[in-house]
């Protein structure tokens, strides 16, 4: 992955845990994740939306069952035609497969292919190593707090998305 320069650690303002510092750090992290996602999409001949779809399929809440085209459409806020084109590209590239539900053959489940997991694993291995390096600099208690914060922030983002749609 390109862009391995050391990021600036300077934060605006005088409060390292203030809202401005959080906003800057979250924007920087988001920008880096976007850059990495773009690189993966380009390396795989995919659109960025395809990568977002792969993530949604990979991270689908198992309590809700396997990902379906309808759930994917709702999650990514795409039209039916756009989600069909996205699924077609991902299936053609070997990243996912469609499987008809046993109880209702009209229902299609989307599954991440094992070979695609290996490709993604290889590409994202440097990110995993960097994440582990960062995690290793914190105690278990600190990581518990960070995890709780990220879970709560994700919950708030989901709620915000529901209010704006």
């Amino acid at each position: 992955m390109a862009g391995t320069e050391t990021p600036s650690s300077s934060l605006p303002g005088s409060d390292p845990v203030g809202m401005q510092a959080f906003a800057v750090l979250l924007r920087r992290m988001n920008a880096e994740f976007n850059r990495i996602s773009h690189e993966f999409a380009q390396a795989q001949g995919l659109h960025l939306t395809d990568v977002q779809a792969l993530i949604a399929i990979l991270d689908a809440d198992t309590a809700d069952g396997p990902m379906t085209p309808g759930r994917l459409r709702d999650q990514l806020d795409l039209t039916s035609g756009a989600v069909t084109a996205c699924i077609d590209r991902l299936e053609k590239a070997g990243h996912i497969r469609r499987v008809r539900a046993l109880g209702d053959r009209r229902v299609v489940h989307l599954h991440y292919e094992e070979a695609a997991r290996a490709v993604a694993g290889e590409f994202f291995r440097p990110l995993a190593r960097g994440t582990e390096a960062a995690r290793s600099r914190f105690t278990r208690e600190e990581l518990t707090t960070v995890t709780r914060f990220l879970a709560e922030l994700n919950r708030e983002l989901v709620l915000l998305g529901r209010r704006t749609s």
Side-chain angles (χ1 to χ4, degrees):
M1 287 184 284
T4 57
E5 308 83 40
T6 304
S8 169
S9 61
S10 64
L11 292 173
S14 58
D15 185 358
V17 295
M19 187 60 161
Q20 189 174 13
F22 271 80
V24 168
L25 289 170
L26 289 170
R27 280 193 306 268
R28 286 179 186 169
M29 186 172 67
N30 187 53
E32 287 303 310
F33 282 141
N34 284 339
R35 179 188 56 76
I36 293 166
S37 293
H38 279 279
E39 287 178 4
F40 181 74
Q42 285 183 323
Q44 296 299 305
L46 300 172
H47 299 269
L48 186 56
T49 302
D50 300 341
V51 175
Q52 293 169 334
L54 282 173
I55 292 167
I57 294 165
L58 180 65
D59 291 347
D61 187 348
T62 55
D64 296 331
M67 181 61 77
T68 64
R71 280 181 52 212
L72 186 62
R73 181 191 67 234
D74 292 344
Q75 190 168 337
L76 298 180
D77 195 25
L78 297 173
T79 65
S80 293
V83 83
T84 298
C86 175
I87 292 168
D88 288 346
R89 285 190 303 270
L90 291 173
E91 190 172 46
K92 182 178 178 184
H95 288 281
I96 65 166
R97 63 184 154 75
R98 291 174 170 112
V99 177
R100 298 260 175 211
L102 294 176
D104 185 347
R105 303 286 295 156
R106 295 170 297 174
V107 176
V108 174
H109 295 160
L110 305 173
H111 295 277
Y112 206 113
E113 287 285 22
E114 286 305 314
R117 286 180 195 269
V119 168
E122 180 66 28
F123 184 89
F124 291 105
R125 191 162 289 120
L127 176 59
R129 281 194 297 266
T131 301
E132 187 52 39
R135 287 180 69 241
S136 72
R137 295 189 283 273
F138 293 85
T139 66
R140 182 161 184 80
E141 293 76 23
E142 289 171 322
L143 290 172
T144 299
T145 300
V146 169
T147 301
R148 200 174 99 235
F149 168 76
L150 292 173
E152 287 299 316
L153 181 57
N154 281 324
R155 188 176 76 71
E156 291 297 329
L157 291 172
V158 167
L159 292 173
L160 178 63
R162 288 181 185 154
R163 285 193 298 261
T164 60
S165 24

